[in-house]
Amino acid sequence: MKLLSIGNSFSTDSHKFLHSLAEQNGVKLECYNLFIGGCSLETHWQNLVENNEFYDLEINGSEATRKISINEALLMKKWDVITVQQASAFSGMFETYEPYLTDLVAVVREKAPKAKIYFHETWSYEIGSLHEGFLNYNSNQKEMHLRIKEASKKASDLINADIIPTGDVVQFVRENIPEFDFKNGGISLCRDSFHLSEDYGRFLAGVVWFKKLTAKNLKEQPFMGFDSEKVKKLIKVVNKNI
C-alpha cells in the first residue's frame, strides 16, 4: 500500500511509527508525508495552484531530504491512499475549510483517480495549553474535540471520504485510561500541549492509522522499548473501537 498525506506536523506525528508498525505486522506500507508546519487547507490550495515546492517530503517517518510540490507528489507514485486535513487551530472551524477542501480534493482525484481519499480527524489540545489557537475553543479541550469531530464529519460528507479518527481515539484514551488522564496526574499524550508525545502519543496515532487503513488488528507485542502494559492498553482500545 502506498500512502500520501497532504498535511502538516500533525500528519508527521501520525506517520512517525506507522511504517514500523505495519512492518512488524507483516504489511508492506510505504508512507509519504508532505510537511509544512501549521499548514492550512487554504495554504495547501494556494501552494497547489502556484506549484510551490515548499513541502518537506518525509518518507516512512524519517526526516525529509528534499522539497517538493503537491503536484509533483501526486504524480510520483500510483497512490492507494491520500489523506487531507486542516491545520489544528482551525480544525474545529468548518467555515475555514471551504472552498479549499473541495477544490484540493477535486485535483487530487483528477491526478490520482485510483487513490482512496481519507480525511484525518486531528486531536484537541492538552488541558492548560497556551497555544493561541486554543482560544478558538474557549481553551476547553472537550469543546475543541467535539467541534473537530463535527467539522470532520461535515468535511468527510462533503468530499465523500472516510475519516481517520485519531482525535476521537486520543480523547477516548484521555478519558478512559487512568495512566493517560493528565488532568488527574497521568501521562500527557502531548509533548508541548498540542503535538503528540514522542512515545505513546505518536504510537497511538500510528496504531489508529494502521487499523483504519488495513482493517487489521495490531498484534499486542513490544515496541521501541515502551512499557508493555501501556502499549497493550492502547492497542486494545484501537482494536476494539475502530
Side-chain angles (χ1 to χ4, degrees), residues 6-29:
I6 301 172
N8 47 49
S9 58
F10 278 36
S11 52
T12 294
D13 279 350
S14 300
H15 274 234
K16 182 60 180 179
F17 297 131
L18 181 55
H19 173 75
S20 298
L21 286 167
E23 193 171 50
Q24 280 194 2
N25 284 265
V27 175
K28 187 175 182 181
L29 178 57

Side-chain angles (χ1 to χ4, degrees), residues 93-105:
M93 304 168 66
F94 187 71
E95 64 272 20
T96 67
Y97 284 50
E98 282 294 287
Y100 317 108
L101 175 62
T102 298
D103 292 343
L104 175 64
V105 170

Side-chain angles (χ1 to χ4, degrees), residues 8-14 85 88 120 122-123 125 194-195:
N8 47 49
S9 58
F10 278 36
S11 52
T12 294
D13 279 350
S14 300
Q85 64 191 57
S88 65
H120 181 210
T122 55
W123 50 91
Y125 297 164
F194 52 101
H195 291 108

Side-chain angles (χ1 to χ4, degrees), residues 106-170:
V107 174
V108 168
R109 286 195 164 117
E110 177 186 349
K111 295 193 174 185
K114 294 186 178 180
K116 182 174 182 179
I117 310 297
Y118 285 84
F119 185 83
H120 181 210
E121 177 202 83
T122 55
W123 50 91
S124 56
Y125 297 164
E126 188 55 273
I127 292 170
S129 176
L130 298 179
H131 191 296
E132 62 182 10
F134 209 20
L135 297 174
N136 295 330
Y137 312 95
N138 298 307
S139 297
N140 184 292
Q141 183 186 88
K142 188 68 173 181
E143 178 182 337
M144 186 175 185
H145 167 65
L146 292 174
R147 288 175 59 185
I148 292 172
K149 185 179 178 71
E150 180 182 9
S152 298
K153 179 62 166 60
K154 289 181 179 178
S156 69
D157 288 345
L158 182 67
I159 61 173
N160 190 28
D162 204 352
I163 293 175
I164 301 176
T166 311
D168 266 357
V169 177
V170 166

Side-chain angles (χ1 to χ4, degrees), residues 6 21 23 34 38 44 47 49 52 59 65-66 68-69 102-103 111 118 134-135 155 158 167 172 193 220 223 235:
I6 301 172
L21 286 167
E23 193 171 50
L34 301 184
H44 285 313
N47 286 337
V49 171
N52 294 323
I59 303 175
T65 57
R66 70 181 183 99
I68 196 170
S69 68
T102 298
D103 292 343
K111 295 193 174 185
Y118 285 84
F134 209 20
L135 297 174
L158 182 67
F172 181 90
S193 81
E220 295 184 2
F223 186 80
I235 292 174

Side-chain angles (χ1 to χ4, degrees), residues 200 220-223 225-234:
Y200 299 106
E220 295 184 2
Q221 59 192 61
F223 186 80
F226 298 167
D227 180 86
S228 60
E229 290 305 310
K230 292 184 178 67
V231 164
K232 286 180 181 179
K233 288 182 179 182
L234 295 178

